[in-house]
Amino acid sequence: MKTCKELVKQHLERELMFKILIFYKSISAVKNYLEMFRNMPLMIFEETRNGFTFSGEKIYVKGIRCAKISDRHRGHRAHIIAVQEELTWAEDWNEVRDCIVYPMLQTPIDIQIFDGDYPDEQAA
């Protein structure tokens, strides 16, 4: 069991990390997106039922698997937010983007929209 001092240190270290938050439907699409980041060893994910986390020395990546971004996702904060393209096809995407996703951003970097998996690509 960790001491209070160790827990505080861990919390402060996490607060100093560069954070990436990814909303996705397909883990293979996420891996394709993350390959665009150079010199970032992202092969070791801690997968959970609803997503994954990766914690490196100076970076923290949290992936949230969902069918739709909703109010229950509020409260997250990140320097970069990426959204799989299919999640932007919802009728209320503009409202979700403006009211839920943009308030999560801690930098002026715009929301990253990345391609999903398409049946043609999977078969190739």
Side-chain angles (χ1 to χ4, degrees):
M1 185 170 202
K2 292 185 179 184
T3 66
C4 183
K5 186 176 180 179
E6 290 171 326
L7 290 172
V8 168
K9 182 181 177 190
Q10 180 182 359
H11 175 74
L12 289 175
E13 287 172 352
R14 181 171 280 178
E15 289 303 310
L16 295 174
M17 290 179 155
F18 190 81
K19 297 176 190 167
I20 300 174
L21 179 62
I22 303 172
F23 291 99
Y24 70 98
K25 290 177 111 176
S26 161
I27 192 70
S28 59
V30 170
K31 289 181 180 178
N32 289 338
Y33 170 72
L34 291 174
E35 284 177 2
M36 292 189 296
F37 291 86
R38 290 169 179 68
N39 302 319
M40 191 161 60
L42 291 173
M43 297 303 137
I44 304 170
F45 289 176
E46 293 177 34
E47 291 196 54
T48 64
R49 189 172 55 104
N50 297 320
F52 69 88
T53 58
F54 169 83
S55 204
E57 255 185 65
K58 297 178 182 176
I59 191 162
Y60 176 77
V61 180
K62 179 174 182 76
I64 299 174
R65 182 179 307 142
C66 58
K68 182 179 180 182
I69 300 171
S70 66
D71 281 334
R72 67 187 172 103
H73 297 112
R74 288 184 190 270
H76 295 285
R77 299 282 182 262
H79 299 99
I80 293 177
I81 296 178
V83 178
Q84 188 171 340
E85 184 182 26
E86 287 90 286
L87 295 173
T88 67
W89 296 344
E91 287 183 26
D92 63 345
W93 165 245
N94 289 336
E95 183 180 342
V96 167
R97 181 195 60 211
D98 295 345
C99 299
I100 298 173
V101 181
Y102 273 135
M104 296 177 185
L105 276 171
Q106 295 180 315
T107 62
I109 299 170
D110 204 4
I111 297 166
Q112 304 290 300
I113 307 297
F114 64 96
D115 290 339
D117 290 324
Y118 301 103
D120 298 356
E121 293 173 351
Q122 290 175 358

